[in-house]
């Protein structure tokens, strides 16, 4: 059973989302918080496997909560929920250790799949915020928390790995990469594993940041 916690200042949003998630046999919502401070308090009492945080909340926002929980050594995987209008801090949240970010209007079935994906150790990133991330990255210097400083493209990065990295940076899922490049799922996963090792990236989201820093991918 995958345990989940939700934090958003809109109680109707969290209540509706909790109903959808609890309807799944392998998902269970432990608690719902009204802001980041409430999420931190409840997390200290009952830690979930996956925590969904709205990035913009009054008082303690999702970014601050993410940084606090990561600093306290949480084992929970954090997914940031964002909108096109409010995701200017997503870059910092991801570099602080969030497992990914999704649009708040992500279809329920995609959100459910994302939770399962994150629980099993991968990361998620929506195409829309990816495009916004490109713009954000270009408009201001990015911090380098947890990333390789003065990054340089590895000499042994193959052309196929560069293709896969470009598609990851554009927000494509593993299956979409398979379909576009006519590759099998095991082959795509092998390429991603090689990319993580060669770029010293922690997860899929940091691969996106790596591509941004090195001009490997461009927003479409």
């Amino acid at each position: 059973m995958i345990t989940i916690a939700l934090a958003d200042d809109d109680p109707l949003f969290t209540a509706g989302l909790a109903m959808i998630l609890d309807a799944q046999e392998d998902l269970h919502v432990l608690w719902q918080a009204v802001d980041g401070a409430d999420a931190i308090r409840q997390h200290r009492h009952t830690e979930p496997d996956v925590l969904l945080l709205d990035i913009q909340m009054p008082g303690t926002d999702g970014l601050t909560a993410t940084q606090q929980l990561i600093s306290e050594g949480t084992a929970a995987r954090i997914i940031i929920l964002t909108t096109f209008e409010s995701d200017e801090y997503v870059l910092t949240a991801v570099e602080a250790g969030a497992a990914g970010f999704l649009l708040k209007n992500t279809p329920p079935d995609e959100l459910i799949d994302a939770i399962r994906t994150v629980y099993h150790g991968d990361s998620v990133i929506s195409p829309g915020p990816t495009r916004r991330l490109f713009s954000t990255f270009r408009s201001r210097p990015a911090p380098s928390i947890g990333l390789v400083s003065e990054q340089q493209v590895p000499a042994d990065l193959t052309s196929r790995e560069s293709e896969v990295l470009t598609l990851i940076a554009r927000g494509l899922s593993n299956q979409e990469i398979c379909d576009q490049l006519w590759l099998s799922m095991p082959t795509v996963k092998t390429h991603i594993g090689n990319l993580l090792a060669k770029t010293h990236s922690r997860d899929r989201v940091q691969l996106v940041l790596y591509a941004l820093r090195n001009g490997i991918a461009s927003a479409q």
Side-chain angles (χ1 to χ4, degrees):
M1 180 69 69
I2 303 173
T3 57
I4 305 163
L6 311 173
D8 193 290
D9 59 318
D10 182 352
L12 289 178
F13 175 78
T14 52
L17 184 54
M19 290 180 61
I20 292 171
L21 298 179
D22 278 332
Q24 305 299 308
E25 293 184 355
D26 61 332
L27 305 180
H28 173 60
V29 176
L30 290 175
W31 46 263
Q32 301 171 44
V34 296
D35 58 26
D38 188 19
I40 292 170
R41 284 193 298 270
Q42 296 200 56
H43 175 278
R44 288 171 178 166
H45 179 69
T46 308
E47 182 173 315
D49 295 317
V50 179
L51 173 58
L52 274 66
L53 282 171
D54 182 14
I55 199 167
Q56 268 201 337
M57 293 180 285
T60 304
D61 59 24
L63 173 58
T64 303
T66 297
Q67 293 171 322
Q68 179 66 37
L69 292 172
I70 293 295
S71 70
E72 292 181 4
T74 180
R77 300 276 285 168
I78 299 175
I79 298 176
I80 296 295
L81 299 178
T82 182
T83 67
F84 283 112
E85 291 75 26
S86 64
D87 60 3
E88 62 268 22
Y89 300 115
V90 167
L91 178 61
T92 305
V94 169
E95 291 189 314
F101 53 97
L102 298 171
L103 290 173
K104 292 184 72 173
N105 63 355
T106 297
D109 57 335
E110 293 182 17
L111 177 59
I112 290 168
D113 287 343
I115 290 172
R116 292 170 178 150
T117 296
V118 164
Y119 173 75
H120 289 293
D122 205 344
S123 300
V124 294
I125 179 170
S126 292
T130 301
R131 290 189 291 270
R132 177 72 176 184
L133 185 56
F134 273 93
S135 176
T136 301
F137 183 85
R138 286 194 296 265
S139 67
R140 64 181 177 88
S144 56
I145 301 172
L147 297 181
V148 179
S149 59
E150 300 299 324
Q151 295 195 24
Q152 182 176 355
V153 179
D156 59 345
L157 197 69
T158 68
S159 58
R160 180 62 86 185
E161 287 167 351
S162 294
E163 286 181 302
V164 171
L165 180 55
T166 297
L167 297 180
I168 289 174
R170 292 176 184 169
L172 272 66
S173 67
N174 284 3
Q175 186 57 60
E176 289 170 333
I177 294 173
C178 290
D179 295 341
Q180 183 150 334
L181 298 181
W182 294 86
L183 297 175
S184 68
M185 183 63 72
T187 298
V188 169
K189 289 183 177 180
T190 296
H191 285 314
I192 292 174
N194 291 339
L195 285 167
L196 291 170
K198 290 180 179 181
T199 63
H200 305 285
S201 297
R202 183 181 59 235
D203 53 34
R204 189 187 195 93
V205 174
Q206 287 205 342
L207 282 177
V208 174
L209 300 182
Y210 182 93
L212 287 168
R213 291 180 186 281
N214 290 282
I216 295 174
S218 61
Q220 298 298 306

